[in-house]
Every structure is written in structure tokens, then in C-alpha cells.
Amino acid sequence: MDEMVAAVDIGGTKIAGALVDRGGRMLAQCQRPTPAKEDAARVLAAVTEVLDELAAAPEWSAVRCVGIGSAGPVDAPKGAVSPVNIPAWRGFPLVDAVREHLAGDLPVVLTGDGPAMTAAEHWQGAARGFRNALCMVVSTGVGGGLVLDGSLYPGPTGNAGHIGHISVDLDGDPCPCGSRGCVEIIASGTSIARRALRDGWLPRGDDASAGAVAASAAEGDPIALAAFARAAQALAAGIAATATLVELDVVVIGGGVAKSGETLFAPLREALHDYATLPFVRHLELRPAELGTDAGLVGAAAAAAQELGLDGWL
């Protein structure tokens, strides 16, 4: 039987699991709702329930390690997580807890959700074949990760590439991270909807989400278009800054806001042309992500395989 990685993807809404093989295929998939408002032990119990269901699959005997992708921030060297959307987990020793549950039988590798998505898109998705990439999730927040010189670069703590907290407006709105004018406070889906409402956009019915703003923008609503243009400008400034710093070949964007398609990508390409002006960043390619909701699991497996040097994986 081909060797596998047991992958777990931990988010604020769900905890998903799968056994991932060397071709990026997922078997024995399962998930549990994230009890995000409950105590730390109950959240851990949801994780161990997912692991137990995976362990009951016949393919479990081929598992070589466990890869965990978690909402962050994470502290990979300590194996700890502090997801902003799971309040009970602050500095929670997740790796030790998983190792203890599995009786120490398998190595456990922790990765942030942004780097995990990046590992997935580089291995099996839109960044495949590129040696230097920034992959981003633009949704209720803005996260990301980096591939440098052909390998995932999670950084010393597992948070490298977190483009959502680059400041692009020095006098901008305060960000929950403690800074101000961050990409996330301008370009997240929540921020797009908030700006549109503030500027007089009128939703149809009760749906005041970024998706509803995108639908209005696609119909030519000027306020909705302006909200997406502002988000695109913030994203372009952050992308150009990152590309100037580390020299990128491609930027891949996924997440709920990216599902708006050209409503986001058209003004983003235009703004990127204005910000990415130096000769070594002008060639930057912009692509939509390909793996969707599978990216967290595929990426957790890929990141673990890279860190442990599993043969024939990447």
C-alpha cells in the first residue's frame, strides 16, 4: 500500500480530516463542527474524534505521519496554536496533545493554514511548476504563504507570508492585530461589505455579505464596484511589496472573495500594474486558486511530507 499522511485542517467552522497519498488524493475523509465557543478540551475532543475516524480506515496502516494545518497564529517550534477564531485555544499545545492521543506512534507536523494552502497550490494547484510564489486566501480574513526557491517557506514560527497584516495605509483604520491600515482591514470580505454599506450600498433583502456586494458590482453598481476597487488596491499594494522583497513569479488567490472572479481580478490586475513597477516584478503572474476547500488538507499533508523529507512526495 502506498504511504500516506493523515491530514487535519482546523478552522473556526469545521475540523476536517483525510488520508492523503503521494498523488495528492484524499481517502477516508471526515469532519466535525468546530465547537469554537466551548472550552479547550471540547475543541481538542473534536480533533481527536476526527483522528479516531481516520485511524479506523483500513489505509491507516500506511500512514507515516500526521500533518496539521491550523488557523493561526501558530507557534510551530512549540507545537502550539492560538487561532483568533477559537478563543479557548491560546498557546494551546496541540502537537503534544495529538501525540499523546496517538500514543506517540507517529510524527506530528504543525503548519499555519496560509502556508498549508500554499503548499497545496504549489504541489497540486495553480502554483505548480513555479519556484517562487505567494498564495493567498481572501475571505473573512486575509492570509497567505510563500514558496521560495521551490520549497514552502513557513518561517521560524510557521507564519511567514501572512500578507493580511502588511500595513498599506499608514493612517488607515485600526486592525484587530493591533496595527492599522492592514491589507485585511481593507480587503477582507467583511471589510468589503462594511465599506459598501458605509458608502450607501443597499443590499437586496437581508444578505449584506461580500458575495452580495460582488453580485451588485457585476451588475454595475458604482458603490459596490468602488468597494472592490479599494480592496483590489490594498491587495495590489501588499502583493507588490512582497514581490519586491522576495522576488516572486506568481501570485495565487483563493477564498470566498476570489470566487467573485473578474469582479476582483480585473481591478486587481489594474492596480498591480500601478504598484508593481520595478523591472523584476512587472512579470508577476496572477492566478485564481484551483484546489478550493481541499487545499487545507492537501497542504497539511504536503507541508508535513516536506518537513520530514518523505521520499517521492513533492
Side-chain angles (χ1 to χ4, degrees):
M1 188 182 295
D2 192 17
E3 70 179 4
M4 297 189 181
V5 173
V8 180
D9 178 24
I10 299 173
T13 303
K14 72 179 188 307
I15 297 167
L19 303 182
V20 181
D21 70 12
R22 279 188 285 197
R25 292 177 291 272
M26 297 190 298
L27 293 79
Q29 296 182 62
C30 60
Q31 69 178 49
R32 298 287 187 279
T34 304
K37 296 185 187 221
E38 298 189 34
D39 62 25
R42 182 65 198 95
V43 182
L44 177 62
V47 175
T48 57
E49 286 169 15
V50 166
L51 287 167
D52 289 345
E53 187 167 339
L54 294 178
E59 298 88 357
W60 181 265
S61 61
V63 169
R64 296 292 171 262
C65 64
V66 177
I68 302 174
S70 175
V74 303
D75 188 335
K78 293 182 179 177
V81 297
S82 303
V84 294
N85 47 10
I86 304 177
W89 275 7
R90 290 294 174 266
F92 184 77
L94 179 61
V95 169
D96 285 347
V98 169
R99 282 183 183 142
E100 181 179 351
H101 184 75
L102 297 174
D105 290 340
L106 293 167
V108 180
V109 176
L110 172 65
T111 308
D113 56 357
M117 176 264 190
T118 300
E121 291 291 340
H122 184 240
W123 183 28
Q124 298 287 336
R128 195 172 189 173
F130 291 91
R131 294 194 62 79
N132 301 285
L134 168 67
C135 298
M136 302 174 60
V137 177
V138 184
S139 187
T140 52
V142 177
L146 292 166
V147 171
L148 299 179
D149 199 23
S151 297
L152 179 70
Y153 180 74
T157 66
N159 297 288
H162 201 345
I163 188 172
H165 295 290
I166 290 178
S167 179
V168 293
D169 183 354
L170 298 183
D171 299 314
D173 292 339
C175 179
C177 77
S179 184
R180 66 170 57 244
C182 292
V183 171
E184 182 170 296
I185 204 67
I186 301 171
S188 71
T190 305
S191 299
I192 290 170
R194 183 172 58 243
R195 183 182 183 89
L197 287 166
R198 184 196 70 190
D199 291 348
W201 172 70
L202 298 175
R204 296 172 183 168
D206 296 330
D207 187 1
S209 67
V213 178
S216 292
E219 295 172 358
D221 184 295
I223 297 174
L225 285 166
F228 268 87
R230 177 63 172 164
Q233 185 182 20
L235 289 170
I239 289 167
T242 305
T244 303
L245 186 66
V246 298
E247 296 198 51
L248 300 171
D249 303 313
V250 66
V251 176
V252 173
I253 302 181
V257 175
K259 290 179 182 177
S260 62
E262 284 301 292
T263 300
L264 175 68
F265 281 91
L268 179 53
R269 280 191 294 269
E270 184 176 343
L272 197 56
H273 181 269
D274 294 335
Y275 281 93
T277 56
L278 291 169
F280 61 92
V281 293
R282 284 180 190 157
H283 69 284
L284 195 57
E285 188 169 340
L286 193 64
R287 293 185 169 191
E290 294 179 0
L291 296 183
T293 56
D294 292 342
L297 289 168
V298 173
Q306 176 179 299
E307 181 162 326
L308 296 175
L310 299 185
D311 291 336
W313 275 74
L314 306 174

